[in-house]
Amino acid sequence: MLSTALLAAWAVVTACMTCSVDAAPKHNQQNSYINYTTVTGYFLQDEATTNASTFSFTNTNFGLINRTYPTDVNYDPRGKKTQWQRFAIQVFRLNRDAPHGTQYKLLYLGRHGEGYHNAAESYHGTPAWNCYYSLLDGNGTATWDDARLTPEGVTQALIVNAYWASQVKTQKVPTPQNYYTSPLTRCLSTANLTFSGLKLPRRHPFVPTVKEFFREGISGHTCDRRGSKSYIQNAFPSYRIEPGFTETDQLWKAYLQETEVDQDIRSKTVLDDVFSMDHETYISITSHSGEIASLLRVLGHRPFRLATGAVIPVLVKAETIGGFAPTTAAEPYRPICTCTSPPARTATTSDCSFATATSLIPPASAMAVVHALDDYYLAITLLITIGYQLFFFAIAFSLKFDKLTDFAGGTNFVWLAIITLAFSGHHNARQIVCSLFIMLWGARLSGFLLFRIIKTGSDDRFDDKRDKFWSFLGFWVFQMIWVWTVSLPVTILNSPNVTRFSQPDFGTGRDIAGVILFAIGFILESVSDVQKYQFRSNPANKGKVCDVGFFVWTRHPNYFGEIIIQFAIFMIAISPSAYGYVTGQAYNAQYASILGAFFLTLLLMFVSGLTLQERPGAKKRYESGNHWESFSRYTKRTSILIPLPPQLYEPMPTFLKRTVFLEFPIYVFDPAKHADQSKVREREAEEGRNRTPERQERGSHEGLADGQQ
C-alpha cells in the first residue's frame, strides 16, 4: 500500500525538477498515516527552560534527565543501574505496552562538524555569503561545493566519538542499532569520525544508510549540492545507499531554493520511510542544522538549534492512524537573493545558513575544480607526459641531439605539478609544499644535467641507440613511465577525489619529518652532484676515484638523496589519509601512490643506477688497470648507498654489508669470475712492452755512468 509519504516525495521531486511557479497539487489522501509526537519529560532539550545557545550535551549525559521511572521498582530496586540503563528499560516497556500501530524510537540527531561553508560565511559575513560567495564553488583557498569538514569540524566529530566511547562504557548508553546519514560529504565524514572505532554490538555494526531526503535544506548555494553516487561509493565504500538514489543530484537547482513547507514534507517522507521499514528502537541520523530543525518540527519538538558537531536525543512516539492524512500543499522552488558584488561584511550568521566557525578563510579569487578525464588526474597527467616526451623525442631523434633528453625528463615533473595544482582549485599549504618540492627537485635535476651535457657534448648512453628509432624510442617510453609514476603522490594529492575531503593543518609531525628528510635528500643529491662534477673537471684527477665530500661516506650520495626526496614527498602527501581525514578509495589511492618512491628506488638500485655502475665500473677499471688498487680499497671501506663513516663500514661483517647496507651480490665484482682475462693479459703485455724500453734505456745510462767513473 502506498503511503502519503511516497506521494509527498513525488510532489517534492516534481517541484524540484520542473521549478514551476505554479502551486503543486495536494497530496492524495490515504486511509492511514503516521503521526509523530515527541515524548517529553525525559531530556533537558525538551524543556522550555533549557537555553539551546548555552546547553552542552557533553556536560549533561546527552541531556538525559536524572529521574525515576515506573519500571525502576522491579528493574532496579537497589538503585545500582545507571540512568541510561533504567531509561532503556522504560523505553522497552513503552513499546511492549503500546497498542497496535504505535511504536517508540529514540532518535540520536547529530549535526555535522564545522564545514568550510560555515567558515566561509563566518569570514565573509552572512549578507555577502548568502547573495554572493555561497553561489561560488570556493574562493581559491577553500572549496565549499558539497563542503568538507574543516580541521575544527574533524576535531568536533572526534570529541563526540570520545564522548560516545566514555558514555557507553560508564553510563551504558544504548548505541544506535541502525545509522542514517545525509548524502552531503560533511555528514558522511562526520558519521564516520563519530562512530568508527566504538565498541559496538556485532548485531549492530556501523554501516550507515545514505538517504537523499536527510540532506540540508536545498538552495542554490553550492554547499547544498551533493556529489555523485559514484563519488559516495568510492569515498565511503562501507556505506549503504538507499534504492533509487540517482547518480547525479536531481534536486539541487542553481539560484533556486525549496521552501520550509517543502522541506518539512521531505522530512516527513523520510521519517515515514524509516519508521515503516526499520524495526529497531535506537536510530542515529547525521544531518544538518536546517534539516534537523525541520525534523524537530515534524516530530512536534520545540525548536532547538544545534551547534556544529552537537547531538540531540529525541524520544518519538509514532502512531499509525486510520483515516485521511492532513493535507499539505507542496510549493514550488523560489528564487534566492543574489548580488553582483559582495556587500560589506557583518557579524550576522546563519547556516549555509549558520556559522559557529572558528577558522578563517582569507579572500582570494574564486577558482573552480577542474575535472579532467578522471578525478585522480591519472589519465590527464599520462597524456601530458606522453605528449611532452614525444615532442622532445622527435627533436632528439631528428637532429641526433642529446642535450634535451634529461632536460625533458626533469621539466616534465615541474609541469605536472603546476598543472595538477592549478586544476585542483585548492591551494592548501600541503599541496603547495609537495608541489614545490617536486618542482624544485625536477628543475634542479634537469638544470644540472643540461649544464653537464652541454659541457661534455654528448651522452654515451645513446651511442648504440641514437640512430635506431625503436631502441631510442624505448628509452623515451621508459622515461614517460618514470615521470608519471614518480609524480603520483603529488598528482593524487592535488586531485579532486582527495581535495574534496577536509585536510589537517600543515605542520603535523609527519609534515615536519617529511620537510626535514626532503632537505637532507636535496642537499645530499645537489651537493654531491657538484662535488663529483668539480672532481672530474680537474685534469689532475683523471681516472682517479672520487672520494671527496659526501663520497667519503657513500659511493652514491646522489642516489641516496634522490630516494630520500621521493619518500619525503610521499610522507607529506599522505598526511590527509594517515590522520583519518581522507577515506574510501581516495585513501587507498593515496597509499598506493607510494609506488612512485618504490619505482624510483628499484630503478636506481636494479635498472639504471647501481647495476650499471658498480660491477661494470669495477670490471672496466680492473681490465684497464685504471687505479684499480685505490678503487678496490675505496669499495671495501665505503658504503654503496646508505651513508656511514668508513671507520664503521670497513670492519663490518660481510653479511651485514650484503644485507642491511644493500651491497647485494649483484653489485660485487670478482675478478676471477667477471673479468675478461684476455683483456687483462693484453693490458699486462702492453704494460710489459712499455716497461722494456724504459729498462733498456735506464740500463744504458747506468752503463755510461759506470764508464765515466
Coordinates of all heavy atoms in Angstrom, one line a residue, residues 664-698:
F664 N 74.3 -5.8 -2.4 CA 73.9 -7.1 -2.8 C 75.0 -7.8 -3.7 O 75.7 -7.1 -4.4 CB 72.6 -7.1 -3.5 CG 71.5 -6.5 -2.6 CD1 70.6 -5.5 -3.2 CD2 71.3 -6.9 -1.3 CE1 69.6 -5.0 -2.4 CE2 70.3 -6.3 -0.5 CZ 69.4 -5.4 -1.1
P665 N 75.0 -9.1 -3.8 CA 76.0 -9.8 -4.6 C 76.0 -9.4 -6.1 O 77.0 -9.4 -6.7 CB 75.5 -11.3 -4.5 CG 74.9 -11.4 -3.1 CD 74.2 -10.1 -3.0
I666 N 74.8 -8.9 -6.6 CA 74.8 -8.5 -8.0 C 75.7 -7.3 -8.3 O 76.0 -7.0 -9.4 CB 73.3 -8.1 -8.5 CG1 72.8 -7.0 -7.6 CG2 72.5 -9.4 -8.4 CD1 71.4 -6.5 -8.1
Y667 N 76.1 -6.5 -7.2 CA 76.9 -5.4 -7.4 C 78.4 -5.7 -7.2 O 79.2 -4.9 -7.6 CB 76.6 -4.3 -6.3 CG 75.1 -3.9 -6.3 CD1 74.4 -3.7 -5.1 CD2 74.4 -3.6 -7.5 CE1 73.1 -3.4 -5.1 CE2 73.1 -3.2 -7.5 CZ 72.4 -3.1 -6.2 OH 71.1 -2.7 -6.2
V668 N 78.7 -6.8 -6.6 CA 80.1 -7.2 -6.2 C 80.8 -7.7 -7.4 O 80.4 -8.6 -8.1 CB 80.1 -8.2 -5.1 CG1 81.5 -8.5 -4.7 CG2 79.4 -7.6 -3.9
F669 N 82.0 -7.2 -7.6 CA 82.9 -7.6 -8.8 C 84.0 -8.6 -8.2 O 84.7 -8.3 -7.3 CB 83.6 -6.4 -9.4 CG 84.6 -6.8 -10.4 CD1 84.2 -7.3 -11.7 CD2 86.0 -6.6 -10.2 CE1 85.2 -7.6 -12.6 CE2 86.9 -7.0 -11.1 CZ 86.5 -7.5 -12.3
D670 N 84.0 -9.8 -8.8 CA 85.0 -10.8 -8.5 C 85.9 -10.9 -9.8 O 85.4 -11.4 -10.8 CB 84.4 -12.1 -8.1 CG 85.4 -13.1 -7.7 OD1 86.6 -13.0 -8.0 OD2 85.0 -14.2 -7.1
P671 N 87.1 -10.5 -9.7 CA 88.0 -10.6 -11.0 C 88.0 -12.0 -11.6 O 88.1 -12.1 -12.8 CB 89.4 -10.1 -10.4 CG 89.0 -9.2 -9.3 CD 87.8 -9.9 -8.6
A672 N 88.1 -13.0 -10.7 CA 88.2 -14.3 -11.2 C 86.9 -14.8 -12.0 O 87.0 -15.5 -13.0 CB 88.4 -15.3 -10.1
K673 N 85.8 -14.2 -11.6 CA 84.5 -14.6 -12.2 C 84.1 -13.7 -13.3 O 83.5 -14.1 -14.3 CB 83.4 -14.7 -11.2 CG 83.6 -15.8 -10.2 CD 82.4 -15.8 -9.2 CE 82.6 -16.9 -8.1 NZ 81.4 -16.9 -7.2
H674 N 84.3 -12.4 -13.2 CA 83.7 -11.4 -14.0 C 84.6 -10.7 -15.0 O 84.1 -10.1 -15.9 CB 83.0 -10.4 -13.1 CG 82.0 -11.0 -12.1 ND1 82.1 -10.7 -10.8 CD2 81.0 -11.8 -12.3 CE1 81.1 -11.3 -10.1 NE2 80.5 -12.1 -11.0
A675 N 85.9 -10.8 -14.8 CA 86.8 -10.1 -15.7 C 87.1 -10.9 -17.0 O 87.0 -12.1 -17.0 CB 88.1 -9.8 -15.0
D676 N 87.3 -10.1 -18.0 CA 87.7 -10.7 -19.3 C 89.2 -10.9 -19.2 O 90.0 -9.9 -19.4 CB 87.3 -9.9 -20.5 CG 87.6 -10.5 -21.8 OD1 88.4 -11.4 -21.9 OD2 86.9 -10.1 -22.8
Q677 N 89.7 -12.1 -19.0 CA 91.1 -12.4 -18.7 C 91.9 -12.1 -20.0 O 93.1 -11.7 -19.8 CB 91.3 -13.8 -18.3 CG 90.6 -14.1 -16.9 CD 91.0 -13.2 -15.8 OE1 92.2 -12.8 -15.7 NE2 90.1 -12.9 -14.9
S678 N 91.4 -12.2 -21.1 CA 92.1 -11.9 -22.4 C 92.5 -10.4 -22.4 O 93.6 -10.0 -22.8 CB 91.4 -12.3 -23.6 OG 90.2 -11.5 -23.7
K679 N 91.5 -9.6 -21.9 CA 91.8 -8.1 -21.9 C 92.9 -7.8 -20.9 O 93.7 -6.9 -21.0 CB 90.6 -7.3 -21.6 CG 89.6 -7.4 -22.8 CD 88.3 -6.5 -22.5 CE 87.4 -6.5 -23.6 NZ 86.2 -5.6 -23.3
V680 N 92.8 -8.5 -19.7 CA 93.8 -8.3 -18.7 C 95.2 -8.7 -19.2 O 96.2 -8.0 -19.0 CB 93.4 -9.2 -17.4 CG1 94.5 -9.0 -16.4 CG2 92.1 -8.7 -16.9
R681 N 95.3 -9.8 -19.9 CA 96.6 -10.3 -20.4 C 97.1 -9.3 -21.5 O 98.3 -9.0 -21.5 CB 96.5 -11.7 -21.0 CG 96.3 -12.8 -20.0 CD 96.5 -14.2 -20.6 NE 95.4 -14.5 -21.5 CZ 94.2 -15.0 -21.2 NH1 94.0 -15.4 -19.9 NH2 93.3 -15.3 -22.1
E682 N 96.2 -8.8 -22.3 CA 96.6 -7.8 -23.3 C 97.1 -6.5 -22.6 O 98.1 -6.0 -23.0 CB 95.4 -7.4 -24.2 CG 95.0 -8.5 -25.2 CD 93.8 -8.1 -26.0 OE1 93.4 -7.0 -25.9 OE2 93.3 -9.0 -26.8
R683 N 96.4 -6.1 -21.6 CA 96.9 -4.9 -20.9 C 98.2 -5.2 -20.2 O 99.1 -4.3 -20.2 CB 95.8 -4.5 -19.8 CG 96.1 -3.2 -19.1 CD 96.5 -3.4 -17.7 NE 95.6 -4.2 -17.0 CZ 95.8 -4.7 -15.8 NH1 97.0 -4.6 -15.2 NH2 94.9 -5.4 -15.1
E684 N 98.4 -6.3 -19.6 CA 99.6 -6.6 -18.9 C 100.8 -6.7 -19.9 O 101.9 -6.3 -19.7 CB 99.5 -7.9 -18.1 CG 98.6 -7.8 -16.9 CD 98.4 -9.1 -16.2 OE1 98.7 -10.2 -16.8 OE2 97.9 -9.1 -15.0
A685 N 100.5 -7.4 -21.1 CA 101.5 -7.5 -22.1 C 101.9 -6.1 -22.6 O 103.1 -5.8 -22.8 CB 101.0 -8.3 -23.3
E686 N 100.9 -5.2 -22.8 CA 101.2 -3.9 -23.3 C 102.0 -3.1 -22.2 O 103.0 -2.4 -22.6 CB 99.9 -3.1 -23.5 CG 100.0 -1.7 -24.0 CD 100.7 -1.6 -25.4 OE1 100.5 -2.7 -26.1 OE2 101.3 -0.6 -25.7
E687 N 101.7 -3.3 -20.9 CA 102.5 -2.7 -19.9 C 103.9 -3.2 -19.9 O 104.9 -2.5 -19.7 CB 101.8 -2.9 -18.5 CG 100.5 -2.2 -18.3 CD 99.8 -2.5 -17.0 OE1 100.3 -3.5 -16.4 OE2 98.9 -1.8 -16.7
G688 N 104.0 -4.5 -20.2 CA 105.4 -5.1 -20.2 C 106.2 -4.5 -21.3 O 107.4 -4.3 -21.2
R689 N 105.6 -4.4 -22.5 CA 106.3 -3.8 -23.6 C 106.7 -2.4 -23.4 O 107.8 -1.9 -23.8 CB 105.4 -3.9 -24.9 CG 105.3 -5.3 -25.5 CD 104.7 -5.3 -26.9 NE 103.3 -4.8 -26.9 CZ 102.3 -5.6 -26.7 NH1 102.4 -6.9 -26.5 NH2 101.0 -5.1 -26.7
N690 N 105.8 -1.7 -22.7 CA 106.1 -0.3 -22.4 C 107.3 -0.2 -21.3 O 108.1 0.8 -21.3 CB 104.9 0.5 -21.8 CG 103.9 0.7 -22.9 OD1 104.2 0.6 -24.1 ND2 102.6 0.8 -22.5
R691 N 107.3 -1.2 -20.4 CA 108.4 -1.1 -19.4 C 109.8 -1.5 -19.9 O 110.8 -1.1 -19.5 CB 108.0 -2.0 -18.2 CG 106.9 -1.4 -17.3 CD 106.9 -2.2 -16.0 NE 106.5 -3.6 -16.2 CZ 105.3 -4.0 -16.1 NH1 104.3 -3.2 -15.9 NH2 105.0 -5.3 -16.3
T692 N 109.8 -2.4 -21.0 CA 111.1 -3.0 -21.5 C 112.0 -1.9 -22.0 O 113.2 -1.7 -21.7 CB 110.8 -4.0 -22.6 OG1 110.1 -5.1 -22.0 CG2 112.1 -4.5 -23.1
P693 N 111.5 -1.0 -23.0 CA 112.4 0.1 -23.4 C 112.8 1.0 -22.3 O 114.0 1.5 -22.3 CB 111.5 0.9 -24.4 CG 110.4 -0.1 -24.8 CD 110.2 -1.0 -23.6
E694 N 112.0 1.2 -21.3 CA 112.4 2.0 -20.2 C 113.6 1.4 -19.5 O 114.5 2.1 -19.1 CB 111.2 2.2 -19.3 CG 110.1 3.1 -19.9 CD 108.9 3.1 -18.9 OE1 109.0 2.6 -17.8 OE2 107.9 3.7 -19.3
R695 N 113.5 0.1 -19.3 CA 114.6 -0.6 -18.5 C 115.8 -0.6 -19.4 O 116.9 -0.4 -18.9 CB 114.2 -2.0 -18.2 CG 113.2 -2.1 -17.1 CD 113.1 -3.6 -16.6 NE 112.6 -4.5 -17.6 CZ 111.3 -4.8 -17.8 NH1 110.4 -4.3 -17.0 NH2 111.0 -5.7 -18.7
Q696 N 115.7 -0.8 -20.7 CA 116.9 -0.8 -21.6 C 117.5 0.6 -21.6 O 118.8 0.7 -21.5 CB 116.5 -1.2 -23.0 CG 116.1 -2.6 -23.1 CD 115.6 -2.9 -24.5 OE1 115.3 -2.0 -25.3 NE2 115.4 -4.2 -24.8
E697 N 116.7 1.6 -21.7 CA 117.3 3.0 -21.7 C 117.9 3.3 -20.3 O 119.0 3.9 -20.3 CB 116.1 4.0 -21.9 CG 116.6 5.4 -22.0 CD 115.5 6.4 -22.4 OE1 114.4 5.9 -22.6 OE2 115.8 7.6 -22.4
R698 N 117.2 2.9 -19.2 CA 117.8 3.1 -17.9 C 119.1 2.4 -17.7 O 120.1 2.9 -17.2 CB 116.8 2.7 -16.8 CG 117.2 3.1 -15.4 CD 116.1 3.0 -14.4 NE 115.4 1.7 -14.5 CZ 114.2 1.4 -14.9 NH1 113.5 2.4 -15.4 NH2 113.7 0.2 -14.9

